[in-house]
Amino acid sequence: MVAQVIDGKAFAAKVRAQVADQVAKLKEENGITPGLAVVLVGEDPASQVYVRSKGKMTVEVGMNSYEHKLDVDTSEADLLALIDKLNNDPAVHGILVQLPLPKHLDEDLVINSIDPAKDVDGFHISNVGLLGTGQKSMVPCTPLGCLMMLREHHGSLSGMDAVVIGRSNIVGKPMAQLLLGDSCTVTIAHSRTKDLPDVVRRADIVVAAVGRPEMVPGEWIKEGATVIDVGINRIDAPEKGTNEDGSVKTRLVGDVHYASASTRAGAITPVPGGVGPMTIACLLANTLTACSRANDLPEPEGLTA
Ligand code: NDP
């Protein structure tokens, strides 16, 4: 069997186009422009890249983007004061504080100071609780993107056996809650799981969110299963040669061994080009959802859990 490739890049472009359509409608019919505020503390190079690309895509779908870049030594009080200002700004419908924060800042305190209705990352403890109890919430972007791809591919997920490898608060746990919400029978595996290969072999849906390059080999995958690879790992790629400074070139791989898994799976997401592009698309979808809720308007169809 050769797996169908689930093209996250193409699907993310479709989601962004859907968001852009809805934003245009909101502007025309209601005179409202959704706004997303992104707060970056410090100069972590990876975070700077993420923030830049989030800002660019926010503007591309017709939303307002507000970027707040703060010094690395910004005090907690100053950061909390900015969040309070954004919480009270009616032009701001979504607030995202780019993680990780510098060590002197209490991440939980900062995230939990965001108005839950504007918490487009879905990390606020209230949103975690709402998702856990099956109520309307803001859903973390990466698992939401995975769910959308699964729904697009399968239609209904009801009754399917799903295994989520990884139990982090940002991916594994919310992913498991979402699959449960769609009536899958869900197993959450982690570093202490006994006989992981056997657990994975039983699954119709495998979501790998571990952070270990290619740790899931094809032989673990049940014939015809759907594999969603969340992992993003950079490994040496000596076959690509060396950089100008003599260092070995690198490439990105997922948590699943793509070549062997794609001979057994029914469908699989590649890395790069799978889950990654869906994460920003879902951030925009969440901002639109937050804006619709704030204005008592119907929620955008197909863009929420
Ligand atoms: P964490 O490090 O927070 O969690 C990793 C999880 O994997 C833990 O629950 C851990 O178990 C489990 N684990 C570690 N080793 C094993 C093992 N040998 N067998 C089974 N489980 C194991 O990672 P994140 O959830 O934040 O991220 C996971 C991956 O997803 C990373 O590669 C990250 O870069 C990527 N990612 C990609 C995103 C995207 O947009 N595509 C967004 C977010 C993350 P335990 O709890 O027992 O330690």
Side-chain angles (χ1 to χ4, degrees):
M1 168 176 274
V2 179
Q4 181 184 333
V5 179
I6 300 178
D7 185 343
K9 207 171 156 191
F11 190 41
K14 197 170 127 189
V15 170
R16 290 198 307 273
Q18 242 175 299
V19 171
D21 274 357
Q22 297 280 336
V23 169
K25 232 167 120 190
L26 265 181
K27 282 186 192 174
E28 201 180 297
E29 293 174 10
N30 307 88
I32 300 164
T33 304
L36 172 64
V38 177
V39 180
L40 172 65
V41 186
E43 287 172 4
D44 177 68
S47 295
Q48 282 181 326
V49 172
Y50 292 140
V51 166
R52 212 174 304 133
S53 107
K54 283 167 187 169
K56 185 171 161 266
M57 293 206 181
T58 304
V59 172
E60 273 173 16
V61 295
M63 295 182 183
N64 289 326
S65 166
Y66 308 101
E67 281 183 29
H68 295 268
K69 293 184 178 161
L70 307 182
D71 284 347
V72 67
D73 53 7
T74 297
S75 71
E76 202 161 83
D78 283 350
L79 178 56
L80 294 178
L82 171 61
I83 292 174
D84 186 53
K85 201 172 127 212
L86 298 173
N87 282 342
N88 290 299
D89 184 344
V92 172
H93 304 97
I95 302 170
L96 179 148
V97 176
Q98 185 65 43
L99 301 178
L101 287 172
K103 292 265 176 293
H104 67 284
L105 300 170
D106 178 342
E107 244 170 49
D108 285 341
L109 178 73
V110 170
I111 296 304
N112 290 325
S113 71
I114 298 172
D115 177 348
K118 297 189 178 187
D119 168 39
V120 281
D121 252 343
F123 296 159
H124 190 290
I125 195 72
S126 300
N127 283 316
V128 175
L130 290 167
L131 177 62
T133 49
Q135 298 178 69
K136 199 190 265 190
S137 64
M138 294 307 303
V139 178
C141 303
T142 300
L144 178 58
C146 296
L147 182 77
M148 282 187 187
M149 287 194 286
L150 285 166
R151 283 180 178 167
E152 171 86 357
H153 183 72
H154 285 285
S156 168
L157 309 180
S158 180
M160 295 178 87
D161 285 322
V163 63
V164 179
I165 319 175
R167 56 174 163 180
S168 72
N169 289 336
I170 62 165
V171 188
K173 283 182 197 152
M175 186 74 246
Q177 300 282 8
L178 289 172
L179 291 166
L180 197 58
D182 270 28
S183 299
C184 291
T185 303
V186 184
T187 304
I188 307 177
H190 45 78
S191 66
R192 307 293 175 89
T193 296
K194 277 190 276 176
D195 202 351
L196 183 61
D198 187 53
V199 170
V200 175
R201 266 186 207 113
R202 283 184 266 129
D204 305 312
I205 293 171
V206 179
V207 180
V210 182
R212 293 169 76 104
E214 301 178 322
M215 72 159 273
V216 179
E219 66 196 41
W220 294 7
I221 305 295
K222 176 164 129 179
E223 283 284 340
T226 301
V227 177
I228 304 290
D229 192 351
V230 182
I232 303 177
N233 310 287
R234 192 166 282 286
I235 61 167
D236 284 348
E239 72 280 4
K240 288 169 73 178
T242 51
N243 296 307
E244 276 175 15
D245 64 0
S247 59
V248 175
K249 289 208 167 162
T250 58
R251 66 190 172 96
L252 291 181
V253 296
D255 291 341
V256 176
H257 187 267
Y258 186 84
S260 57
S262 57
T263 65
R264 292 177 64 89
I268 187 167
T269 59
V271 177
V275 175
M278 284 301 289
T279 297
I280 294 190
C282 286
L283 172 68
L284 303 174
N286 276 351
T287 305
L288 176 63
T289 299
C291 177
S292 306
R293 287 178 186 168
N295 290 284
D296 289 326
L297 293 166
E299 291 188 15
E301 256 176 60
L303 296 176
T304 52

